[in-house]
Amino acid sequence: MHIDSGDTTWVLVAAALVMFMTPGLALFYGGMVRAKHVLGMLMQNFFCLGLVSVLWAAAGYSLAFGGDNAFVGNFAFAGLHHAVRVAPAGFALTIPPLLFMAYQMMFAVITPALITGAIADRMRFNAWVWLLTLWSLLVYSPVAHWVFSPSGWANRLGALDFAGGTVVHINAGIAALACVLVLGRRQGWPNRPMPPHNLPLTMIGTGILWFGWFGFNAGSALAANGLAVQALVNTHLAAAAAMLSWLVAERAKQGHATTLGAASGAVAGLVAITPCAGYVGGMAPILIGAIAGIVCFFAIDLKHRFSFDDSLDVVGVHLIGGITGSLLLGLFADKSVNPAIVHEGLFAGGGVRLVWFQLVVVVATLAYSFLMTMLIIKVLDKVLPGGVRVTEEDEEAGLDLTQHSEVGYSLLT
Amino acid sequence: MKLVVAVIKPFKVDDVKAAVQELGMQGLTMTEVQGYGRQRGHTEVYRGAEYTVDFVPKIKLEVICEDGEATSVAERIIAVARTGKIGDGKVWITPIDDVWRIRTGEAGSDAL
């Protein structure tokens, strides 16, 4: 195995960038909840860095990248014994295998953290700990194996997902929906006003996410090369175009361009470009971003239409944005950008084959993640004393005080 | 003695403070308050969800003064705090039974 120092340097940096996204996501969500729940939200996110990292080292990495089974990994890398020098099956790495493990760890951390936006303000912390544990091992690792491991069935099929449109965004988005259906709505939703308590926090979080996303997408090239550059440019342009298209739609429909709209649009673009980042070029990222911004802007209304309290629009932005990006890749995937593409997209002359493969993997991810998450949270609701949801009284008092014995803001000290 | 209470638009607070000082008033207390009158509230929109906010931020000022000064204080506040648009606020005067300065124990006019 040849270790390239330039590649290694870049992926080291990219791993740190992706790590920073989880606290960024915490702020993005934290600003959107009411003041009495802010620490609850920050903690559910930040805690992922603690628990998921340890789980990943112990077994999660191995379940995602060990062995060459089509559906799930094995325990070959459990405890990281062999992960130091042995690359996972099918990878021709030019970076130390342990760095690949570390880089993928940051993906495993942020993916379940995305779910917290949907379940805001009403899950017991203890229930979150158990959900996080089981979801990481039983849902994240297998789906990561299908798509990211060269031996996974989705990868073998020829479906494309550069940095996790299915594994990260669709997976977390549909899991969020399952959680919401079991947890139920926040008390008073949708009649009682629940405006964001601190949009400046949300803007800081959005900036950190955007910054970290360069590591997420450009790092997924696993090399410091032209493909990484293309992924970085695509990532930035998609976020920019999606911010613009969201704001235009918002201004036309509601009369104002809002900061929350700018933040939401940028994130929608980042989500949609994630699967496409290393497979498209030219103006495609701008088109993909612009489409995602508008689609997601209208998708956040789904929760009102179907009356499910996806509190901070994880379904509207991550699920719908992830599906949008994954399917658009079936149109835009271009071999001249990345020769590793087996089937080109429709617009590159590859016919509808790739669209079909993308659809298959999207549907499989939706089905598996939804059913497994539903099963996990229903079992937890039965098994855990007190169930998964806080009492009405605690919900009213806020997660900060009742789950963590703290308050986010104290004006008189 | 009288207590002059004014609820005004927050951006007028510096002008009103200066005007009240010019009249020779030795003290003034301000509080950030929220409320509504005929102006009612406003609408906020977050990701398409519209919220009607009934309570508008205002500043409440309180000045204690001699009986003879109260009307001129109130009139100065009205003159300075007025924009002519809805939401300018209210001023009112109430009687005070007695007042003490805590540091010295002085009472009545000496405490002002």
Side-chain angles (χ1 to χ4, degrees):
Chain A
M1 178 189 299
H2 166 71
I3 302 294
D4 183 284
S5 64
D7 294 349
T8 304
T9 306
W10 165 232
V11 181
L12 279 166
V13 171
L17 284 168
V18 181
M19 176 271 160
F20 199 38
M21 290 173 74
T22 297
L25 184 71
L27 295 174
F28 176 69
Y29 284 158
M32 278 190 262
V33 298
R34 288 162 292 167
K36 62 187 176 183
H37 300 299
V38 63
L39 294 179
M41 178 52 73
L42 295 180
M43 181 65 168
Q44 284 181 356
N45 282 271
F46 201 75
F47 181 75
C48 294
L49 280 164
L51 181 59
V52 180
S53 301
V54 171
L55 289 172
W56 187 252
Y61 174 62
S62 195
L63 287 172
F65 291 99
D68 56 3
N69 182 294
F71 295 100
V72 66
N74 59 21
F75 289 98
F77 294 137
L80 301 184
H81 281 311
H82 302 288
V84 179
R85 277 181 210 87
V86 182
F91 282 91
L93 295 178
T94 55
I95 61 173
L98 193 64
L99 175 56
F100 178 74
M101 185 288 297
Y103 180 64
Q104 287 294 333
M105 181 185 331
M106 306 312 168
F107 284 59
V109 168
I110 194 170
T111 304
L114 293 170
I115 299 171
T116 61
I119 60 173
D121 309 352
R122 57 203 189 281
M123 187 179 272
R124 290 172 55 232
F125 183 65
N126 183 42
W128 173 242
V129 174
W130 283 107
L131 174 64
L132 190 56
T133 304
L134 296 173
W135 198 86
S136 283
L137 296 173
L138 300 179
V139 183
Y140 182 79
S141 284
V143 176
H145 184 80
W146 300 355
V147 177
F148 285 159
S149 168
S151 51
W153 70 265
N155 206 319
R156 282 186 177 162
L157 186 68
L160 301 175
D161 185 354
F162 195 70
T166 44
V167 179
V168 176
H169 296 289
I170 295 176
N171 198 2
I174 193 70
L177 181 62
C179 290
V180 165
L181 294 180
V182 175
L183 268 177
R185 313 167 184 187
R186 287 169 293 175
Q187 282 180 65
W189 188 88
N191 298 319
R192 203 203 299 180
M194 299 179 179
H197 88 286
N198 190 338
L199 285 180
L201 278 189
T202 299
M203 298 307 283
I204 295 170
T206 309
I208 294 173
L209 281 172
W210 192 328
F211 174 72
W213 228 294
F214 294 138
F216 203 89
N217 288 357
S220 289
L222 297 175
N225 57 16
L227 187 60
V229 174
Q230 181 73 61
L232 184 141
V233 170
N234 289 345
T235 301
H236 190 72
L237 288 179
M243 184 207 287
L244 297 183
S245 71
W246 184 298
L247 289 176
V248 167
E250 188 178 49
R251 176 76 202 265
K253 189 164 172 230
Q254 284 145 12
H256 292 90
T258 66
T259 50
L260 184 56
S264 311
V267 171
L270 291 163
V271 168
I273 201 65
T274 295
C276 313
Y279 297 125
V280 302
M283 294 301 274
I286 293 180
L287 283 169
I288 292 166
I291 293 168
I294 290 177
V295 168
C296 293
F297 172 76
F298 287 103
I300 56 169
D301 196 39
L302 290 172
K303 66 176 178 184
H304 295 292
R305 188 151 312 165
F306 295 101
S307 279
F308 62 93
D309 183 11
D310 170 21
S311 309
L312 310 181
D313 300 303
V314 180
V315 171
V317 175
H318 292 274
L319 176 58
I320 303 299
I323 292 173
T324 303
S326 294
L327 296 182
L328 286 176
L329 182 54
L331 306 180
F332 290 106
D334 185 345
K335 224 173 197 161
S336 69
V337 173
N338 188 336
I341 293 172
V342 182
H343 308 288
E344 281 196 294
L346 183 66
F347 296 162
V352 293
R353 264 181 94 144
L354 184 60
V355 181
W356 171 245
F357 292 153
Q358 295 298 99
L359 193 63
V360 168
V361 178
V362 166
V363 171
T365 306
L366 288 174
Y368 179 75
S369 181
F370 183 81
L371 292 174
M372 280 303 287
T373 308
M374 199 61 137
L375 180 70
I376 290 169
I377 193 159
K378 285 213 162 185
V379 167
L380 288 178
D381 200 31
K382 288 273 182 300
V383 172
L384 293 176
V388 292
R389 185 165 175 150
V390 295
T391 62
E392 280 189 21
E393 208 181 329
D394 285 358
E395 188 180 340
E396 199 55 47
L399 295 185
D400 297 6
L401 204 54
T402 61
Q403 304 302 299
H404 307 294
S405 227
E406 297 168 296
V407 289
Y409 306 95
S410 178
L411 297 179
L412 297 170
T413 45
Chain B
M1 272 155 300
K2 300 283 190 189
L3 175 66
V4 181
V5 184
V7 174
I8 63 169
K9 286 184 168 168
F11 78 94
K12 284 289 188 182
V13 73
D14 287 336
D15 294 347
V16 171
K17 188 188 82 182
V20 170
Q21 263 174 350
E22 276 170 27
L23 289 175
M25 298 299 112
Q26 294 292 323
L28 180 149
T29 304
M30 68 153 266
T31 323
E32 293 180 31
V33 295
Q34 299 191 322
Y36 69 83
R38 293 187 196 177
Q39 179 192 11
R40 286 295 176 177
H42 59 264
T43 308
E44 296 178 9
V45 185
Y46 298 100
R47 281 189 179 159
E50 273 197 28
Y51 300 117
T52 306
V53 179
D54 284 329
F55 295 105
V56 184
K58 297 283 171 188
I59 295 291
K60 186 163 98 175
L61 299 174
E62 289 167 301
V63 184
I64 306 175
C65 59
E66 299 288 357
D67 288 358
E69 297 167 331
T71 308
S72 59
V73 170
E75 283 168 354
R76 275 304 282 153
I77 293 174
I78 293 165
V80 174
R82 174 178 290 159
T83 67
K85 297 194 195 102
I86 198 161
D88 274 351
K90 296 261 188 299
V91 182
W92 63 92
I93 298 172
T94 60
I96 292 182
D97 290 340
D98 216 335
V99 59
W100 288 268
R101 172 173 289 119
I102 292 173
R103 175 170 54 87
T104 59
E106 291 162 287
S109 298
D110 294 337
L112 293 183

